[in-house]
Amino acid sequence: MENKIETQELKYTAKDFASDQDVRWCPGCGDYSILAQVQRTFPDIGIKKENIVWVSGIGCSSRFPYYMSTYGFHGIHGRAPAIASGLKIAHPELSVWVATGDGDLMSIGGNHFIHTCRKNVDLKILMFNNRIYGLTKGQYSPTSEKGKVTKSTPYGSVDYPFNPTSLALGSDASFVARTIDREPKHMQEMIRKAAEHKGTAFIEIYQNCNIFNDGAYLHLTEKDVKLDNVLTLEHGKPMIYGKERDKGIKLDGFRPISVNLNDGKHSVADLLVHDETDQNSIRAFIIAHMTDHPGLPTPIGIFRRILKPTYDQGITDQINHIIEKKGKGDLEAVLFSGNTWEVK
Amino acid sequence: MAKEIQKKVLDLEEVTVRFAGDSGDGIQLTGSQFSDTTAFVGNDLNTLPDYPAEIRAPAGTLYGVSGFQLHFSSVDIHTPGDTPDVLVAMNPAALKINLKDLKSGGIIIANQDSFDPKNLKLAGFDSNPLEDDSLNGFKVFSVRITSLTTEALKDTPLSNKEITRSKNFFALGLMYWLFNRPLDPTLSWINTKFKKQPDIADANTKALKAGYYFGEQTEIFTARYSVKPAELPAGTYKNISGNEATAIGFVAASQLCGLPLFLGSYPITPASDILHFLSAYKNFGVKTFQAEDEIAGIASAIGAAFGGSLAITTTSGPGLALKTEATGLAVMTELPIVIVDVQRGGPSTGLPTKTEQADLLQAMYGRNGEAPVVVLAASTPSDCFFMAIEASKIALKYMLPVILLTDGYIANGSEPWRIPHVDELPRFEKSYYNNPEDFQPYRRDENLARPWAVPGTPGLEHRIGGLEKANISGNVSYDPDNHDFMCRLRAEKVAKVVNDIPDIVVDGPEKGELLVMGWGGTRGSITEAVTKARKAGLIVSQIHLKYLNPMPKNLGEVLSNFNKILIPELNLGQLATLIRKEFLRDVIQLNKLKGLPFKSAEIQNKISEILGGNNGK
């Protein structure tokens, strides 16, 4: 029996996914866009409201479930993937989504994250990455850039940040993507693709915290510069970017380099062609590594999307197989099994 | 072959045997085989496996000694025995460590081959105790167990190392002969266990038989012993350990209430066996999730409980500490989970393989905020089965987390269990809520339980979490009055569980000078001590607590009927603290923290001391 989430044509609108609770994020927060894109996309994914569950941890991002009219579980700091895994394994017909942040998932919940990816539990994880601890009022996070001045690092952070997509790929996640709060259409597409994917789907969403880390992604979102700084990954297409679409990414050994397509030395044929379905994650890893790399664009889109059996399916299959082999468990027989003896 | 020598058979009422050797000598296996066979012939029995935390400590060292004590009898017994009558010492270190416990005049069966200069030195013997006078007060039988095993297996294709490994079966065979037990149960176990390694099965079979025949043929042993079957209530029995009983108890609970069982767990000594057993019950639909850590163990269980499973997590003390925050989440979200803590010596990593009862206060209070949970404790290996069912029943009925305490002693120890038939077990109902009309996630029934609305149910979509809940609606609430109200309500719900708890029944006079009160795994030692004290003419009563929070309704009244209350516990007075707080009664403490259960004599002496007698010795 396949662990199947029932899908059908449903007549929902975005409004049907809004709960009766007032949204309490700060005005101007990037989280509003994420909520809007999820509510806009969900009518299309064909899953009944009652079969959807949003699970979260702690942080601004983790208030997300309260604002969706689906089932929701606001957990404790970092543990959302573990709570969601238990729910999904116990109840595989549910479509289980995780809303989390860079502190919640990369720091206190790092262990649960890598193991969820490794096991390929069929969860959809949306990580709102604002590169700051917002709800605790502005400490640097595991994705903050080195040297960042915050309340807890008044002289600048001496830490190195995680690149979440690299971490996900390194944990062998079967679906890894990135999008930006200011790119609603792109985000909707990523959410839709994640919904379609069977297995752990991780979407890193660059999200602006206009209170504690305003402008963290300006170079990726401002009209005049973003096209030169962002590479939008498209399956089967060469990696071209730039305002004039005059730049491309080429591999020099294992190193990605940016080349000018108008310099007379390079052509589109030289460029790396994106294959998100490559079973081998090495190229996806190389692409992820371009993130925040001087002289290279930051990639958004799907880095990797491969199919492999899910953990929850494995558990279901094993149970069915053993029941087929041994028959359904008989409690009386188990109680009286082993070396027994009679006392008259 | 030499002609059979006629040997006399002496009847004994009870015997305590201790097997001891290197942690790689297969001592635990030998002990558990002897236990199973002993159970099979109908003796009452009680066991105490006692092994080091190291898997294969360097051979011959004192700290590498593994022991297995077994008390068997033709009468009702409750403990693994205070002092062994027989010590099987596979090497000098085993002798050194265990000799002090041996009854004077007791029997020592020593593997003579291992008493070589190197091992003697490792054990700290200046001269060979088998050859000097130091063991004069004992009956010593030196047997060349290693060379006799090698001789018996000379035709096998196995390597020398593998052959030597069978020597524990030789020792077991010899003990079977000495105590007049059949070989069949172990022979059939060998055949199943080593089905895919016929050479090893064959070697172990030969070694076992060689040991048995050696007893019969040799002139060293002039007598053998017999312990008649115990008079137990009629029924079908098997020998069961606490961890196995706990596992089967949860399978039974799942079947009795018709809900799927989910276990989220992280390996930890001495609780891992519950995970092992439950992982094998796939055909009952049991889902086991070996999580990445203790926190994920309980977090996944909470997720599964939200999804409508009978969800449990199993651990030991350090793991319970890690589950603290998530336990509070289960309190707040009012989801039914059972947390099993197989207590071991603490604090910190402590004594991982040894027993203790020092997690009681952690179970009671170890959470942030006002976060009361129901706390139960199993009292014997087989009682774990019933308490697992009881814990599940309470968690589901009241929608709350329940902590079930067992301990290393009852978890690894075993006893004969009169197996109940399924139809003797209490069935209990638990249904999901499914009425979408005016659904309120935190509206309560007469037990104060909130509705269990499981994802997948149309019209009941709702959000819960760790933030304070508004009464009835379950929405997030920071209202001061609501928080005050909800904290009291959650406490009241736990207190209400008292209605499902049986009154405490006093064993012995209901009024008097002294009441001995225990909880959890000390039941056997206390019962034996009280029985012996009574035989010595003392008047003493006994109660044993299995419900720690809430405590039975009539407990205060029972306590008020005695002038003195003695509480023996394997900690520094945790139940004593609770009793003083709850009933403003002072109590006499008897505390032990040696990683071992009480010897009944230790408690009996205390009883005599309190009652002014000296007949407890």
Side-chain angles (χ1 to χ4, degrees):
Chain A
M1 192 171 51
E2 207 191 338
N3 282 355
K4 217 177 155 188
I5 303 165
E6 198 189 316
T7 55
Q8 54 192 266
E9 195 122 337
L10 295 164
K11 288 192 182 111
Y12 290 130
T13 65
K15 267 194 189 144
D16 291 317
F17 286 97
S19 77
D20 58 354
Q21 300 293 301
D22 295 332
V23 183
R24 299 193 200 176
W25 288 311
C26 310
C29 176
D31 290 356
Y32 283 96
S33 165
I34 303 172
L35 180 61
Q37 306 330 319
V38 168
Q39 289 174 345
R40 266 173 218 157
T41 318
F42 268 35
D44 307 337
I45 63 173
I47 301 169
K48 284 186 181 162
K49 224 163 75 167
E50 65 265 26
N51 291 331
I52 300 171
V53 187
W54 277 91
V55 181
S56 65
I58 292 293
C60 297
S61 62
S62 294
R63 299 300 174 96
F64 194 93
Y66 291 118
Y67 309 138
M68 292 290 293
S69 64
T70 62
Y71 281 90
F73 196 102
H74 181 203
I76 45 178
H77 207 10
R79 318 303 170 199
I83 296 168
S85 292
L87 176 61
K88 179 69 189 179
I89 293 160
H91 209 326
E93 317 83 80
L94 298 173
S95 173
V96 183
W97 295 69
V98 172
T100 177
D102 44 313
D104 195 47
L105 194 67
M106 294 290 107
S107 195
I108 191 167
N111 197 32
H112 308 305
F113 174 61
I114 58 175
H115 288 281
T116 300
C117 292
R118 174 178 69 80
K119 289 172 196 272
N120 199 29
V121 186
D122 188 13
L123 305 177
K124 318 299 155 211
I125 303 174
L126 271 52
M127 189 190 84
F128 308 1
N129 183 4
N130 55 15
R131 296 192 167 168
I132 198 80
Y133 282 97
L135 201 61
T136 49
K137 302 194 175 175
Q139 300 80 16
Y140 83 105
S141 91
T143 56
S144 297
E145 59 279 15
K146 190 165 187 284
K148 185 161 200 80
V149 175
T150 69
K151 281 186 188 149
S152 60
T153 51
Y155 301 107
S157 135
V158 296
D159 260 5
Y160 300 98
F162 258 146
N163 175 1
T165 50
S166 295
L167 186 63
L169 289 165
S171 312
D172 223 5
S174 56
F175 180 105
V176 178
R178 176 187 286 147
T179 187
I180 305 178
D181 57 0
R182 296 271 294 271
E183 300 287 345
K185 285 271 171 321
H186 187 261
M187 198 196 303
Q188 289 172 25
E189 193 197 333
M190 294 303 106
I191 293 167
R192 237 175 256 124
K193 288 273 170 61
E196 282 167 16
H197 180 71
K198 201 165 156 59
T200 307
F202 172 65
I203 308 178
E204 178 189 21
I205 305 174
Y206 283 166
Q207 169 246 326
N208 189 44
C209 170
N210 56 328
I211 306 295
F212 294 108
N213 199 17
D214 197 21
Y217 299 112
L218 277 181
H219 62 299
L220 308 177
T221 55
E222 289 306 288
K223 239 189 182 141
D224 50 334
V225 292
K226 72 174 188 184
L227 293 177
D228 284 329
N229 292 330
V230 175
L231 167 70
T232 305
L233 300 169
E234 289 174 278
H235 182 57
K237 302 221 172 122
M239 295 182 187
I240 301 173
Y241 71 106
K243 221 180 290 173
E244 313 296 336
R245 296 200 55 82
D246 55 349
K247 285 182 264 202
I249 299 300
K250 169 189 152 164
L251 267 191
D252 174 19
F254 290 113
R255 283 164 14 115
I257 53 169
S258 172
V259 296
N260 186 337
L261 294 173
N262 297 332
D263 64 0
K265 293 183 216 158
H266 296 95
S267 73
V268 172
D270 296 328
L271 302 183
L272 193 53
V273 175
H274 186 46
D275 178 6
E276 62 193 28
T277 60
D278 191 351
Q279 289 290 326
N280 188 325
S281 61
I282 288 175
R283 279 200 297 181
F285 198 78
I286 290 171
I287 297 163
H289 210 68
M290 301 199 304
T291 307
D292 295 334
H293 204 285
L296 289 171
T298 289
I300 65 168
I302 299 170
F303 293 72
R304 188 185 202 210
R305 182 174 57 86
I306 61 153
L307 268 184
K308 60 178 180 181
T310 64
Y311 181 88
D312 43 293
Q313 183 68 56
I315 291 217
T316 310
D317 288 351
Q318 203 172 49
I319 286 176
N320 292 336
H321 173 70
I322 300 297
I323 289 177
E324 214 169 276
K325 210 169 109 186
K326 290 189 172 177
K328 240 186 157 33
D330 174 352
L331 182 58
E332 184 87 1
V334 164
L335 288 171
F336 287 82
S337 68
N339 281 333
T340 63
W341 71 95
E342 296 293 327
V343 174
K344 298 257 155 60
Chain B
M1 204 173 251
K3 71 173 170 34
E4 203 168 300
I5 302 158
Q6 277 308 103
K7 300 194 173 172
K8 59 180 184 237
V9 177
L10 304 173
D11 275 325
L12 298 175
E13 188 174 89
E14 57 177 310
V15 179
T16 299
V17 173
R18 188 182 291 177
F19 295 91
D22 263 331
S23 49
D25 276 346
I27 295 300
Q28 299 306 318
L29 191 151
T30 311
S32 59
Q33 280 303 307
F34 196 91
S35 306
D36 283 355
T37 300
T38 293
F40 183 76
V41 300
N43 295 134
D44 196 5
L45 71 94
N46 202 291
T47 70
L48 173 63
D50 184 22
Y51 50 92
E54 292 74 21
I55 301 300
R56 297 271 188 278
T61 58
L62 293 171
Y63 54 86
V65 173
S66 172
F68 189 104
Q69 186 164 316
L70 166 77
H71 183 194
F72 57 105
S73 162
S74 58
V75 295
D76 197 16
I77 51 168
H78 307 281
T79 71
D82 286 359
T83 50
D85 303 291
V86 182
L87 170 65
V88 180
M90 295 302 278
N91 67 8
L95 179 68
K96 183 89 171 193
I97 294 274
N98 292 292
L99 188 62
K100 61 178 189 311
D101 297 332
L102 191 62
K103 202 169 274 175
S104 64
I107 293 174
I108 296 169
I109 297 174
N111 179 12
Q112 199 180 337
D113 291 320
S114 68
F115 282 68
D116 57 19
K118 186 187 159 207
N119 281 322
L120 288 166
K121 199 178 158 207
L122 276 172
F125 283 112
D126 296 329
S127 66
N128 188 344
L130 302 181
E131 289 164 4
D132 61 25
D133 299 338
S134 59
L135 301 177
N136 273 356
F138 304 99
K139 286 183 217 124
V140 182
F141 299 99
S142 298
V143 182
R144 295 196 170 279
I145 293 177
T146 313
S147 37
L148 286 164
T149 305
T150 312
E151 173 64 21
L153 302 185
K154 62 175 188 284
D155 296 334
T156 72
L158 299 177
S159 70
N160 259 346
K161 198 176 159 194
E162 286 168 314
I163 286 174
T164 320
R165 218 178 270 158
S166 291
K167 66 178 182 293
N168 60 327
F169 282 95
F170 185 96
L172 182 61
L174 177 56
M175 291 297 283
Y176 281 161
W177 176 81
L178 191 61
F179 289 100
N180 214 0
R181 338 253 86 187
L183 298 181
D184 299 349
T186 296
L187 289 175
S188 84
W189 179 86
I190 290 173
N191 284 329
T192 318
K193 176 84 182 174
F194 300 105
K195 206 175 178 174
K196 288 178 183 154
Q197 298 149 287
D199 288 340
I200 293 181
D202 186 50
N204 288 338
T205 301
K206 278 186 177 144
L208 184 76
K209 288 183 175 170
Y212 192 91
Y213 296 141
F214 177 78
E216 206 163 80
Q217 302 296 341
T218 182
E219 295 183 7
I220 302 176
F221 296 100
T222 53
R224 63 200 300 209
Y225 303 96
S226 169
V227 176
K228 291 210 165 63
E231 283 184 28
L232 299 167
T236 306
Y237 282 76
K238 73 172 166 189
N239 189 37
I240 195 152
S241 73
N243 275 342
E244 183 174 10
T246 304
I248 304 177
F250 283 115
V251 174
S254 153
Q255 297 278 304
L256 293 168
C257 68
L259 293 174
L261 181 62
F262 176 94
L263 166 68
S265 185
Y266 185 75
I268 186 169
T269 303
S272 305
D273 275 342
I274 305 175
L275 168 64
H276 305 163
F277 282 117
L278 283 176
S279 301
Y281 290 123
K282 291 265 178 306
N283 58 333
F284 284 88
V286 178
K287 290 182 175 172
T288 53
F289 177 61
Q290 184 176 317
E292 57 271 22
D293 58 30
E294 291 282 357
I295 299 171
I298 185 169
S300 61
I302 290 172
F306 185 53
S309 288
L310 167 57
I312 64 170
T313 183
T314 50
T315 189
S316 185
L320 187 67
L322 285 164
K323 294 179 196 297
T324 294
E325 187 195 12
T327 307
L329 178 64
V331 170
M332 189 61 109
T333 51
E334 303 190 36
L335 285 169
I337 58 165
V338 180
I339 303 158
V340 180
D341 173 9
V342 184
Q343 299 167 95
R344 67 188 215 188
S348 187
T349 313
L351 305 173
T353 59
K354 313 285 180 185
T355 198
E356 207 161 273
Q357 292 184 297
D359 293 347
L360 175 57
L361 294 183
Q362 181 184 204
M364 286 290 296
Y365 300 119
R367 284 164 295 285
N368 64 306
E370 293 290 351
V373 299
V374 173
V375 181
L376 310 181
S379 61
T380 68
S382 65
D383 188 43
C384 292
F385 173 81
F386 298 102
M387 291 314 278
I389 298 176
E390 190 71 355
S392 308
K393 222 168 99 180
I394 292 171
L396 292 167
K397 178 171 174 183
Y398 291 90
M399 294 290 285
L400 42 63
V402 175
I403 295 180
L404 171 59
L405 298 171
T406 72
D407 61 55
Y409 163 54
I410 61 173
N412 286 323
S414 62
E415 65 176 353
W417 178 40
R418 195 192 69 78
I419 310 166
H421 288 280
V422 174
D423 54 21
E424 296 168 42
L425 300 173
R427 252 161 229 288
F428 51 103
E429 297 278 314
K430 182 70 193 186
S431 43
Y432 305 138
Y433 190 82
N434 56 16
N435 180 8
E437 222 156 284
D438 190 26
F439 166 64
Q440 301 286 351
Y442 276 68
R443 182 176 280 158
R444 291 160 199 285
D445 67 11
E446 67 282 6
N447 301 312
L448 299 181
R450 70 177 195 86
W452 200 5
V454 172
T457 318
L460 300 186
E461 296 84 358
H462 66 286
R463 276 68 56 192
I464 57 172
L467 286 168
E468 181 59 282
K469 300 279 155 289
N471 184 32
I472 299 174
S473 76
N475 286 331
V476 174
S477 167
Y478 303 119
D479 179 73
D481 291 338
N482 178 73
H483 178 58
D484 186 283
F485 177 80
M486 291 300 280
C487 285
R488 290 170 202 274
L489 192 66
R490 286 185 288 264
E492 190 188 335
K493 183 161 86 156
V494 171
K496 245 179 144 40
V497 174
V498 79
N499 297 325
D500 281 22
I501 292 179
D503 273 354
I504 201 103
V505 178
V506 182
D507 180 71
E510 283 181 18
K511 271 182 199 286
E513 180 63 15
L514 178 63
L515 176 72
V516 186
M517 174 188 200
W519 68 277
T522 50
R523 180 178 210 141
S525 314
I526 297 174
T527 304
E528 197 152 302
V530 166
T531 309
K532 284 181 183 164
R534 284 177 188 156
K535 272 190 192 152
L538 299 177
I539 298 168
V540 55
S541 300
Q542 183 193 355
I543 57 172
H544 202 79
L545 279 186
K546 301 206 294 178
Y547 300 84
L548 280 312
N549 195 39
M551 290 183 185
K553 232 184 245 165
N554 66 333
L555 183 60
E557 193 195 323
V558 166
L559 297 180
S560 70
N561 289 330
F562 292 89
N563 290 330
K564 288 175 181 145
I565 299 161
L566 167 66
I567 302 184
E569 46 185 335
L570 300 172
N571 57 44
L572 289 180
Q574 301 197 1
L575 177 63
T577 300
L578 293 180
I579 295 297
R580 287 190 187 111
K581 174 198 84 101
E582 198 65 31
F583 302 103
L584 298 177
R585 265 302 299 264
D586 198 15
V587 297
I588 303 166
Q589 295 180 204
L590 177 62
N591 305 116
K592 173 173 170 176
L593 285 159
K594 298 190 175 183
L596 289 164
F598 278 112
K599 290 181 177 176
S600 61
E602 291 165 344
I603 301 171
Q604 195 191 343
N605 288 341
K606 189 73 185 176
I607 293 171
S608 300
E609 183 196 311
I610 295 167
L611 293 177
N614 57 1
N615 44 5
K617 290 247 167 78

